[in-house]
Amino acid sequence: MTGDQRLADLFERALLLPEPERDSFVTGEGAGDEALLAELKAMLHADNAAQSTGAWERPGIAHAARMAVQLGDPAIGENVGPYRIVEELGRGGMGIVYRAVRDDSEYQQTVAIKRIRRGMDAEQIIARFRAERQILANLVHPHIARLLDGGTDAAGLPFLAMEFVAGEPLNIYCEARKLSLRARLELFRGICDAVHYAHQRMVVHRDLKPGNILVTPDGIPKLLDFGIAKLWSTLPDQMPPSLRPACI
Amino acid sequence: MTVQQSVTYWLSQWRDGDTQALEHVTEAVYQELRRLAVHYLDGEKSGHTLQPTDLVHEAYLHISGIREFDWKARGQFVGVLAQMMRRILIDHARGRDAAKRQPDAVWEERQKLLSAGIIDVLVVDQSLTRLAVRFPRQAKVVELRFFGGLESAEAAQVLEISLATVERDWRFAKAWLQKEFQKPS
């Protein structure tokens, strides 16, 4: 068996053992061949990282695309109010959402920052953005991503700082865990509770979809993105088709 | 003849044993795959529509016009597509770094990206070339899975090896490459 074949063979055999036993196994098997031993140990160590990160399950093109977006965006690293922008989380028609950290003498905190897209800073859009801020300020519910802060950036444009939800979109969460019908209904009930709460405060979300509902690792659904929400009282008396029961 | 028709023609020639035929389709196929990839990469910035894993399938359908993905007959062709995808992504990434003009800043950002779960395709490419010298089959699995976006079962059919072997090779190669990432380049 060549050295490389041995490396592959020992790596494979080591993985069959429980983790605490691997080190002594390879030390015994690889005794006398320092280069092989060092490589094998480094690989077993790296295997933990490779298995725990989901990164390898995404194809190269997805990485290339995300990287192009991140490297190409001068906003990364920019300070917005007391927050520093770390990475882009997503973008919609008028806004971009970033993950940002507050890291000053006050405290450390990860937030989601929503800003207006460059070139979209028309007066109307700014007014709508401010309206969203007002709507969110009135909503405090365990299943709605909370508004934490707001302000204006260096360019004078408004921004929102919201609770950062480290979660997966509803549909992906359910599929990845092959959730039972009961578990799915439990999630649904939580979501309905949040929607009902908003409706009682005369707020209609108008864009409810799995991508706007994230589920945290503890299984708590959180409603996001009230970007096109409306206050019921500002809607015309006659309910437009977009607000018939199908649209919540 | 349209591109699609000529590719279909050459593919059938190739299937019938004309080994030269594959060379005839390569350029047309490369252009088509590149178009799809760039469309996806640009689309990502404005909310994408394509599923990245479907690109090779998509390209194959587009190019060959054949709806059924007959893996056994198309194995070699799909292998070529994965190789092309690797080249397209590397070219794209190189262009990006060149436009940035600050290699140190790029490197620093790259490390940050890695901790955010983003793998630099350039680093994979370089490490994979080294892996291929010692472990050609394992490197091939990475090319199909990572660059081609194929599932393990599909990769097994392309390489004509068992699914268990693909899974073993994939885990081995991931650990080997991951170990390389930790080294400063």
Side-chain angles (χ1 to χ4, degrees), chain A residues 238-247:
Chain A
Q238 200 155 27
M239 205 180 274
S242 68
L243 276 178
R244 284 183 192 145
C247 180

Side-chain angles (χ1 to χ4, degrees), chain A residues 6 9-10 13-14 17 22-33 36-37 40:
Chain A
R6 258 191 96 203
D9 178 59
L10 289 177
R13 281 165 60 198
L17 299 170
R22 289 176 192 169
D23 206 58
S24 59
F25 168 76
V26 300
T27 308
E29 292 285 328
D33 189 341
L36 175 96
L37 199 56
L40 195 51

Side-chain angles (χ1 to χ4, degrees), chain A residues 6-246:
Chain A
R6 258 191 96 203
L7 178 73
D9 178 59
L10 289 177
F11 176 74
E12 198 183 306
R13 281 165 60 198
L15 288 183
L16 296 174
L17 299 170
E19 219 190 302
E21 293 170 29
R22 289 176 192 169
D23 206 58
S24 59
F25 168 76
V26 300
T27 308
E29 292 285 328
D33 189 341
E34 290 309 313
L36 175 96
L37 199 56
E39 189 170 26
L40 195 51
K41 283 190 175 176
M43 279 182 70
L44 287 171
H45 181 72
D47 178 69
N48 283 330
Q51 292 299 110
S52 60
T53 165
W56 283 106
E57 297 316 308
R58 291 192 296 278
I61 191 164
H63 291 283
R66 274 188 67 196
M67 188 136 169
V69 170
Q70 304 260 330
L71 287 183
D73 189 344
I76 307 298
E78 191 187 323
N79 288 312
V80 177
Y83 309 97
R84 185 168 45 80
I85 290 179
V86 179
E87 65 166 336
E88 181 178 321
L89 295 173
R91 56 177 70 201
M94 69 170 189
I96 306 185
V97 183
Y98 296 100
R99 182 165 69 86
V101 288
R102 180 185 182 131
D103 193 3
D104 55 20
S105 50
E106 299 294 316
Y107 48 91
Q108 282 194 343
Q109 186 183 22
T110 299
V111 301
I113 294 270
K114 185 167 182 178
R115 310 173 82 183
I116 293 176
R117 280 176 82 150
R118 223 172 308 220
M120 300 293 284
D121 45 349
E123 227 167 277
Q124 255 179 323
I125 290 175
I126 295 179
R128 231 169 82 177
F129 199 82
R130 290 190 194 281
E132 180 187 356
R133 201 152 83 177
Q134 191 52 53
I135 286 171
L136 273 175
N138 296 333
L139 297 177
V140 181
H141 186 276
H143 296 321
I144 296 175
R146 210 157 31 100
L147 179 73
L148 300 170
D149 193 3
T152 15
D153 64 16
L157 293 173
F159 73 87
L160 304 175
M162 287 168 298
E163 174 187 2
F164 172 71
V165 182
E168 292 167 77
L170 182 64
N171 53 336
I172 293 171
Y173 180 90
C174 290
E175 277 162 34
R177 284 165 186 73
K178 308 226 179 327
L179 286 196
S180 65
L181 183 60
R182 169 169 289 276
R184 283 168 202 248
L185 287 174
E186 288 292 342
L187 281 174
F188 187 61
R189 192 158 70 172
I191 296 158
C192 287
D193 198 45
V195 171
H196 176 63
Y197 169 88
H199 286 179
Q200 281 180 317
R201 274 146 197 83
M202 312 301 277
V203 175
V204 211
H205 186 286
R206 301 207 303 175
D207 194 21
L208 278 181
K209 57 187 179 192
N212 278 339
I213 302 166
L214 296 189
V215 186
T216 69
D218 318 334
I220 298 168
K222 296 262 187 185
L223 211 51
L224 316 176
D225 198 3
F226 280 77
I228 62 164
K230 272 225 159 130
L231 281 172
W232 203 275
S233 54
T234 65
L235 293 170
D237 289 343
Q238 200 155 27
M239 205 180 274
S242 68
L243 276 178
R244 284 183 192 145

Side-chain angles (χ1 to χ4, degrees), chain A residues 4 7-8 11-12 15 39 42-43 46-47 50-51 55-61 63 65 67 69 71 91, chain B residues 40-41 45 52 55 89 96 100 117 119-121 134-135 145-146 168 170-172 174-176 178-179:
Chain A
D4 284 347
L7 178 73
F11 176 74
E12 198 183 306
L15 288 183
E39 189 170 26
M43 279 182 70
D47 178 69
Q51 292 299 110
W56 283 106
E57 297 316 308
R58 291 192 296 278
I61 191 164
H63 291 283
M67 188 136 169
V69 170
L71 287 183
R91 56 177 70 201
Chain B
Y40 171 78
L41 289 165
K45 293 178 192 170
L55 271 191
L89 293 181
R96 178 202 67 211
K100 195 85 180 176
I119 298 174
D120 187 342
V121 293
R134 291 171 59 194
F135 300 97
R145 287 220 39 167
F146 187 77
R168 254 196 327 263
W170 176 229
R171 184 151 184 193
F172 177 87
K174 278 191 294 186
W176 197 90
Q178 186 87 29
K179 150 183 87 66

Side-chain angles (χ1 to χ4, degrees), chain B residues 137-138 141 161 164-174:
Chain B
R137 195 188 64 214
Q138 286 87 337
V141 168
I161 54 180
T165 304
V166 168
E167 295 286 12
R168 254 196 327 263
D169 286 352
W170 176 229
R171 184 151 184 193
F172 177 87
K174 278 191 294 186

